[in-house]
Amino acid sequence: MNVIELKGIKKTYHLEKLDVPVLHGIDLTIQQGEFVAIMGHSGSGKSTLLNILGLLDKPSEGSFKLAGIEVSKYSDDELASLRNHYLGFIFQQFHLLSKLTALENVQLPAIYSNSKDEQNHQDPEKLLNLVGLSDRITHRPNEMSGGQQQRVAIARALINKPLIIFADEPTGNLDSNSTKEIIGILKDLNASGITVVMVTHEPELTAYASRTIRVQDGLIISDEKNADAAEIKEISGAKDFKHKAFSFSRIKDYFLQAWRSLAGNKMRSALSILGVMIGVASLISMLAVGTGAQKAIEDQVAGLGSNLLSVSPGASQRGGISSETGARMRLIPEDIADLRKNVRGISKISGYANGRAQIVANGKNYNTRIEGVSVDYADMRTSNPSSGRFFTELENSNKQRVALLGKTVIKEIWGDSTFNPIGEYVKINRIDFQIIGVLPEKGSNGFRDEDDKIIIPLNTAMYRVIGTQYLNNMDVQVQDDADMNEVADNITQRLLFTHRMPASSLDAVRVRNMAEIQETMNSMANAFSLLLGSIAFISLLVGGIGIMNIMFVSVSERTKEIGLRKAIGANNADILFQFIIESVFVCCAGGIIGIIFGSAISIVISKIAGWTTAVTLSSIVLAFGFSAVTGLLFGVWPARKASLLNPIEALRHD
Ligand code: ADP
Ligand code: MG
């Protein structure tokens, strides 16, 4: 039975500018059980021929039958599977993986074999025993001599019970004692029925072979039988070599390899994880700040009700140039009563005069915000006191010194926000005020603590504390939503009339609908989130490019390993997955740490800056998803590059 049948095999290497023809038409038939030695000068094409025989390289022309199957048209993956199941390789440079033990090196081809059937594999320990290395099972290649390494390589070639073993100058790097041992092992294997094809330039080794072929300038120039070949056995029925990409051992190996590579380059892995971590952390924290701002605005505006109008002095002067009509109205307390009386449809109205003041009470000094408001404020802004009472219209018109305190103020002065201060006195800008109520708790609105303030009657505030004749603004509650626009127009006209301004100077006063304000604020918050999000996204992108860079380094560093893995049967998908898993792992690790870190940052931001931040599940999912996708996207390119390497080119890489 012909285990190998070559007809008219030609091989031309295509270099950048020239074609190098190496094999010029080789016809060769090898029978099962033969021990063939290939001899020839350096550069005559021996390795090229052996690589083609071993399906590591494809001929440019010609027909190749392996165990009766025409293989010259097979795909890369099918060839990988054939190599894995039918062929064993022994290289001059051993090509053991330095991070694996002898045992793991021997097991390697079994990982890429599809058959679950134990009968198709040999026991790796028995094989190491067979090559005389039973005491070196857990040694790594750098702890072994050249001869020992080559014996590990032989054991590796045997693990899947190959039909043929190819050896390219297996003793080329060995001393004469090791050479004898290795050749002895090959001879024994041949005696057990395995076909051996060996390239050598040591003439004395041909004595072990049953047949010697001489190659010169890409042609076979002689072919001699040395002795009768060992008893030729029939090939057992061709094994099934259908390509099946997934098996548990393969997937386990992907993760193991990814882990080994990361653990073997700790600094590099840590830096790439750091890159992703920074990206994810900034994504999380920036989204948290953005979402927080949005939520704060929503909360604040939701409490206002939609039938509110805000009345404020007209557009302020821009750069010293007053607005078109020139004038800017100044609102006075009398406007409040006048509007209530003369504009129909108003249900409530409150004026505002704000300022900051130094307060003293309980021996403590504190600086806070003073808001002078009208009586209607309590209902309009849902600020009915949680204990005590609001002030009355009489107290307002009499400019009486009564105050309602926010929880934060109470906490700052009495050290306990649950303290009941009603009846106590507080000095506001050195004037004694009696505390008549405590304001309901409102929390932070994202930019300001709404509980850090004192409310006093509007007139008291204007004339006794702040010292102003004018209001900052007014809030008007309209009875019926449908009348909003009409009421707004009437307010403008009435104010222009009472302030003796021309009816055309609409710019002098600004009446805005709360719904509009709400919308403006929301769209601002949205823009803010988007801006922050895109900055964070860019940093994630930079992290991703860092990963790609590191993956490229990893690929080129391990090109030899990739070549070896492919030579023993790994297919393109195996290599692709191994590298993708590595980069996805880096990104996921960076992602998880980044999520933790980003959440911590947003908590710190909310503590230090007093902003509301909200880390939402969706932002965590988004950040994690992004980092995983980054790993995938930026890992695919280098991984693909690795997977497409030709095994022989890759093995030659250094
Ligand atoms: P041998 O093993 O007999 O020493 P090889 O088969 O390695 O010879 O090489 C035969 C010829 O092919 C040499 O001239 C070598 O330079 C050339 N060659 C081998 N591999 C390549 C390649 N990948 N690209 C271009 N030329 C190559
Ligand atoms: Mg060679």
Side-chain angles (χ1 to χ4, degrees):
M1 171 87 187
N2 295 335
V3 71
I4 282 174
E5 217 178 314
L6 295 187
K7 276 213 182 76
I9 290 291
K10 292 186 181 172
K11 176 71 184 177
T12 303
Y13 289 108
H14 300 283
L15 299 184
E16 229 170 279
K17 278 189 182 136
L18 81 168
D19 289 350
V20 187
V22 176
L23 300 181
H24 303 284
I26 301 260
D27 297 326
L28 176 63
T29 306
I30 297 175
Q31 300 230 300
Q32 187 174 30
E34 283 191 295
F35 188 150
V36 181
I38 300 177
M39 300 272 298
H41 296 295
S42 176
S44 55
K46 305 182 296 294
S47 294
T48 305
L49 176 61
L50 199 75
N51 292 339
I52 288 173
L53 287 173
L55 304 178
L56 288 171
D57 209 350
K58 289 180 183 172
S60 313
E61 246 178 76
S63 135
F64 180 2
K65 280 187 182 149
L66 180 74
I69 313 164
E70 177 64 54
V71 293
S72 46
K73 296 285 180 292
Y74 272 32
S75 74
D76 286 352
D77 285 356
E78 286 168 323
L79 293 177
S81 186
L82 279 178
R83 288 197 292 273
N84 183 266
H85 289 95
Y86 285 85
L87 314 178
F89 290 93
I90 300 161
F91 303 94
Q92 182 175 352
Q93 301 86 351
F94 324 133
H95 289 321
L96 299 178
L97 298 190
S98 58
K99 284 183 181 143
L100 305 191
T101 62
L103 189 72
E104 289 167 330
N105 267 294
V106 173
Q107 278 170 325
L108 210 52
I111 289 169
Y112 298 113
S113 131
N114 300 327
S115 78
K116 290 205 177 90
D117 191 355
E118 289 300 315
Q119 284 187 347
N120 287 331
H121 301 311
Q122 307 241 47
D123 177 359
E125 289 193 35
K126 272 194 197 141
L127 286 176
L128 282 171
N129 197 22
L130 181 81
V131 296
L133 287 178
S134 41
D135 56 339
R136 294 282 187 278
I137 284 174
T138 57
H139 284 52
R140 288 177 207 280
N142 60 4
E143 297 157 346
M144 289 185 274
S145 72
Q148 289 170 330
Q149 290 186 53
Q150 194 61 300
R151 284 188 270 160
V152 174
I154 292 176
R156 179 179 65 193
L158 293 172
I159 186 98
N160 284 346
K161 301 188 177 174
L163 284 178
I164 315 169
I165 282 187
F166 296 98
D168 193 350
E169 311 209 21
T171 59
N173 284 4
L174 302 180
D175 59 53
S176 57
N177 272 340
S178 301
T179 297
K180 265 196 205 120
E181 284 166 14
I182 295 297
I183 205 78
I185 294 172
L186 289 177
K187 183 78 190 155
D188 291 347
L189 291 174
N190 177 242
S192 75
I194 297 174
T195 311
V196 178
V197 182
M198 177 180 75
V199 166
T200 183
H201 58 249
E202 294 166 74
E204 61 273 21
L205 296 187
T206 58
Y208 293 84
S210 59
R211 181 175 167 192
T212 305
I213 291 170
R214 278 170 218 282
V215 176
Q216 191 178 320
D217 297 332
L219 285 171
I220 293 179
I221 51 161
S222 79
D223 186 349
E224 299 159 13
K225 283 224 153 67
N226 298 8
D228 285 338
E231 182 196 343
I232 294 170
K233 296 175 183 167
E234 267 306 307
I235 303 173
S236 48
K239 283 193 259 177
D240 177 27
F241 54 85
K242 265 204 195 111
H243 174 63
K244 190 170 99 225
F246 291 101
S247 72
F248 180 69
S249 64
R250 279 191 189 206
I251 292 171
K252 201 175 106 194
D253 185 67
Y254 298 158
F255 282 97
L256 199 65
Q257 290 319 314
W259 174 250
R260 279 211 172 98
S261 150
L262 293 170
N265 298 286
K266 290 196 183 65
M267 189 64 176
R268 208 167 72 189
S269 312
L271 286 177
S272 38
I273 288 175
L274 184 73
V276 177
M277 191 210 86
I278 291 173
V280 169
S282 57
L283 195 66
I284 289 269
S285 53
M286 292 197 179
L287 285 179
V289 169
T291 329
Q294 216 162 344
K295 246 185 89 184
I297 288 169
E298 275 165 18
D299 287 354
Q300 196 190 6
V301 181
L304 295 179
S306 58
N307 55 346
L308 279 186
L309 293 172
S310 156
V311 182
S312 49
S316 54
Q317 296 175 339
R318 290 178 224 112
I321 302 158
S322 57
S323 59
E324 287 162 53
T325 48
R328 181 169 177 242
M329 185 182 293
R330 317 204 81 167
L331 301 171
I332 50 174
E334 287 73 23
D335 289 331
I336 300 171
D338 179 76
L339 287 177
R340 201 200 301 274
K341 213 163 103 194
N342 295 303
V343 176
R344 282 201 307 141
I346 291 178
S347 69
K348 292 196 168 66
I349 185 162
S350 172
Y352 291 92
N354 311 324
R356 294 199 71 85
Q358 197 66 26
I359 64 169
V360 181
N362 192 30
K364 298 257 171 60
N365 238 302
Y366 187 59
N367 190 284
T368 189
R369 189 175 149 82
I370 304 294
E371 278 189 17
V373 304
S374 309
V375 175
D376 280 357
Y377 174 90
D379 288 334
M380 291 169 69
R381 291 295 189 96
T382 52
S383 291
N384 283 302
S386 58
S387 63
R389 62 174 183 88
F390 214 75
F391 54 81
T392 62
E393 191 49 57
L394 193 68
E395 282 168 325
N396 181 36
S397 48
N398 289 346
K399 304 178 188 100
Q400 287 199 342
R401 292 166 304 208
V402 288
L404 291 99
L405 269 55
K407 291 269 186 198
T408 305
V409 179
I410 295 172
K411 182 158 191 246
E412 290 292 336
I413 290 181
W414 286 280
D416 175 8
S417 62
T418 60
F419 179 80
N420 184 359
I422 291 166
E424 305 272 337
Y425 284 85
V426 58
K427 274 193 192 328
I428 302 178
N429 282 357
R430 299 201 192 129
I431 306 164
D432 271 326
F433 276 71
Q434 189 176 24
I435 301 169
I436 57 166
V438 175
L439 294 168
E441 207 162 339
K442 294 259 169 141
S444 158
N445 73 358
F447 306 102
R448 183 163 81 200
D449 178 2
E450 282 294 304
D451 297 324
D452 188 5
K453 68 178 178 191
I454 293 179
I455 281 186
I456 57 177
L458 179 63
N459 288 351
T460 318
M462 289 174 67
Y463 302 114
R464 291 187 189 260
V465 178
I466 302 167
T468 173
Q469 289 167 269
Y470 305 111
L471 302 179
N472 287 32
N473 61 301
M474 284 191 270
D475 278 351
V476 175
Q477 190 174 319
V478 179
Q479 259 155 11
D480 189 346
D481 265 359
D483 298 337
M484 293 289 277
N485 289 338
E486 198 193 329
V487 174
D489 287 347
N490 291 344
I491 288 172
T492 310
Q493 289 309 324
R494 180 67 198 172
L495 285 172
L496 290 172
F497 173 75
T498 52
H499 287 256
R500 294 163 208 279
M501 294 174 104
S504 62
S505 47
L506 295 172
D507 278 355
V509 63
R510 204 152 50 132
V511 182
R512 282 188 305 166
N513 194 323
M514 274 299 165
E516 286 165 29
I517 297 174
Q518 185 173 348
E519 232 161 73
T520 319
M521 286 173 92
N522 276 346
S523 69
M524 269 168 60
N526 271 336
F528 186 58
S529 304
L530 199 68
L531 177 77
L532 293 180
S534 35
I535 294 171
F537 180 75
I538 289 170
S539 58
L540 201 57
L541 199 70
V542 171
I545 291 170
I547 288 203
M548 181 160 69
N549 198 7
I550 283 180
M551 292 305 296
F552 269 123
V553 172
S554 182
V555 166
S556 65
E557 224 172 47
R558 283 188 292 157
T559 305
K560 244 194 171 119
E561 177 187 330
I562 295 167
L564 184 270
R565 284 175 179 276
K566 296 195 99 175
I568 61 171
N571 57 44
N572 294 0
D574 289 323
I575 304 295
L576 194 68
F577 277 117
Q578 186 186 320
F579 281 92
I580 287 180
I581 284 173
E582 191 176 315
S583 100
V584 168
F585 179 87
V586 165
C587 282
C588 288
I592 291 169
I593 302 173
I595 286 169
I596 296 167
F597 210 68
S599 308
I601 290 175
S602 33
I603 291 168
V604 169
I605 288 178
S606 71
K607 282 266 146 59
I608 291 179
W611 296 354
T612 312
T613 60
V615 178
T616 59
L617 185 68
S618 63
S619 73
I620 288 179
V621 171
L622 185 78
F624 191 75
F626 256 134
S627 57
V629 169
T630 310
L632 207 61
L633 286 185
F634 288 100
V636 161
W637 187 13
R640 211 180 118 72
K641 189 185 142 187
S643 76
L644 292 180
L645 288 170
N646 163 323
I648 280 303
E649 302 278 322
L651 275 174
R652 212 177 277 148
H653 188 273
D654 45 21

